[in-house]
Amino acid sequence: MAAPIIEIESISKSFGAFQVLDQLSMQVMPGEKLALIGPSGSGKTTILRILMTLERIDGGHIRIEGEELYHMSKNGGLAPADEKHLTKMRQKIGMVFQLFNLFPHMSVLDNVTLAPILTKGVSRADARKRAMELLDMVGMSAKADAMPSQLSGGQKQRVAIARALALSPKIMLFDEVTSALDPELVEEVLNVMRKLAAETDMTMLLVTHEMGFAHDFADRVLFFDRGRIVEEGKPDDIFRHPKQERTQTFLRKIIAAGHRV
Ligand SMILES: Nc1ncnc2c1ncn2[C@@H]1O[C@H](COP(=O)(O)OP(=O)(O)OP(=O)(O)O)[C@@H](O)[C@H]1O
């Protein structure tokens, strides 16, 4: 049996007195498509940010392909080891954020080529060639010379996906990537994600409030509440036959609000 690509072991994280994650453990297998669902504030986004080393952990272990992501630092506390290690680990993971985070003063093409040129030393010509392939894949090659301000939210998000893919990560993290979009733009972004799921063997972790999409997309769904995994299973088990009362209550509210699960 293959080894997990991500191993999270008893991690804890507090912001001041507020404990967001409480001894959380989970494993992700290579190529798995995972949906993280649950009420607001349950810690889903924090997990993605910790994997991306945008937040530190207070305790526990995270291993990516068997390699420790955080080490005990000289002044105590767990932190990414050093710049070199951090760069290497970060290249394994791409993240797409709710608010796109494109560089506003750079063209679409420059947004996508920047990281490979800067962090991997890829030549400008090679970076452009790869960027155009990726922009084509997300249906944005015609806008390669446009500036982000000239794009719709859905277009920006598709560029952000191409940019995250430019370092050829093995793991992609999607943090509520459609929640800032007008409803008519949601589907174009979800279609790109469907395509990625179908055509690549990347490991994908998705934090979402789109339960219908999570149901179609995921191999496994994790339901979070107050920094813990309350229930996990195949989408049909979680969405059609949730066992835990907290999962049932959460889904009842979603359905009552008129959403598909
Ligand atoms: N940098 C921070 N400083 C202080 N508190 C924070 C910080 N980041 C997150 N939090 C708090 O931690 C809790 C968990 O946040 P997180 O974003 O992980 O939840 P979530 O499950 O992703 O929620 P949502 O679905 O609303 O995005 C929230 O109460 C949030 O306010």
Side-chain angles (χ1 to χ4, degrees):
M1 187 163 152
I5 189 165
I6 302 174
E7 293 169 272
I8 296 179
E9 197 185 309
S10 300
I11 61 164
S12 300
K13 172 73 187 170
S14 297
F15 291 111
F18 179 66
Q19 182 156 34
V20 186
L21 299 177
D22 179 14
Q23 299 276 314
L24 181 101
S25 297
M26 60 185 262
Q27 296 196 338
V28 187
M29 298 308 286
E32 229 186 340
K33 317 293 180 238
L34 225 63
L36 281 55
I37 64 164
S40 237
S42 55
K44 309 175 301 289
T45 293
T46 302
I47 293 167
L48 299 194
R49 291 179 58 80
I50 285 171
L51 286 170
M52 209 50 199
T53 63
L54 297 172
E55 303 284 357
R56 293 179 175 205
I57 52 175
D58 301 329
H61 294 273
I62 298 181
R63 284 177 287 273
I64 309 288
E65 294 190 307
E67 256 191 281
E68 208 78 38
L69 187 56
Y70 289 87
H71 296 261
M72 193 57 76
S73 68
K74 280 189 210 102
N75 44 4
L78 288 157
D82 56 43
E83 276 305 313
K84 206 170 147 207
H85 180 71
L86 183 60
T87 306
K88 178 178 143 203
M89 298 302 273
R90 272 207 175 148
Q91 285 176 357
K92 297 182 187 210
I93 309 181
M95 182 158 173
V96 185
F97 300 85
Q98 185 176 356
L99 291 175
F100 332 123
N101 296 7
L102 294 180
F103 306 116
H105 303 298
M106 288 185 183
S107 70
V108 163
L109 186 62
D110 288 344
N111 261 280
V112 182
T113 58
L114 185 72
I117 292 171
L118 280 189
T119 65
K120 270 193 164 173
V122 175
S123 74
R124 188 164 288 272
D126 286 350
R128 281 175 171 245
K129 186 166 171 277
R130 173 83 180 125
M132 287 310 289
E133 286 166 9
L134 290 170
L135 287 171
D136 195 38
M137 203 264 294
V138 300
M140 288 299 294
S141 50
K143 297 276 185 190
D145 296 324
M147 299 302 283
S149 59
Q150 297 169 304
L151 306 179
S152 71
Q155 290 174 327
K156 281 183 200 163
Q157 200 54 299
R158 286 186 281 144
V159 173
I161 293 173
R163 183 179 62 174
L165 292 170
L167 288 171
S168 305
K170 294 185 177 171
I171 301 165
M172 279 284 279
L173 311 177
F174 297 91
D175 187 18
E176 298 189 30
V177 294
T178 57
S179 42
L181 299 179
D182 291 335
E184 73 273 18
L185 303 178
V186 166
E187 209 48 35
E188 66 187 61
V189 174
L190 295 184
N191 279 338
V192 169
M193 294 170 67
R194 285 189 186 100
K195 197 163 148 185
L196 278 180
E199 295 176 9
T200 73
D201 57 4
M202 265 185 310
T203 306
M204 296 168 76
L205 271 64
L206 169 79
V207 168
T208 188
H209 291 283
E210 300 258 350
M211 298 303 146
F213 181 67
H215 194 163
D216 299 343
F217 171 90
D219 301 320
R220 185 154 59 103
V221 177
L222 307 180
F223 175 72
F224 282 80
D225 196 16
R226 291 173 229 164
R228 285 172 169 263
I229 299 169
V230 172
E231 185 165 0
E232 65 173 287
K234 290 192 187 312
D236 265 350
D237 294 338
I238 299 293
F239 289 116
R240 300 281 176 257
H241 311 288
K243 291 193 184 70
Q244 300 297 325
E245 200 189 325
R246 277 194 272 167
T247 322
Q248 292 164 356
T249 309
F250 174 77
L251 291 172
R252 252 200 312 273
K253 280 187 195 154
I254 301 259
I255 293 165
H259 298 290
R260 178 172 80 90
V261 299

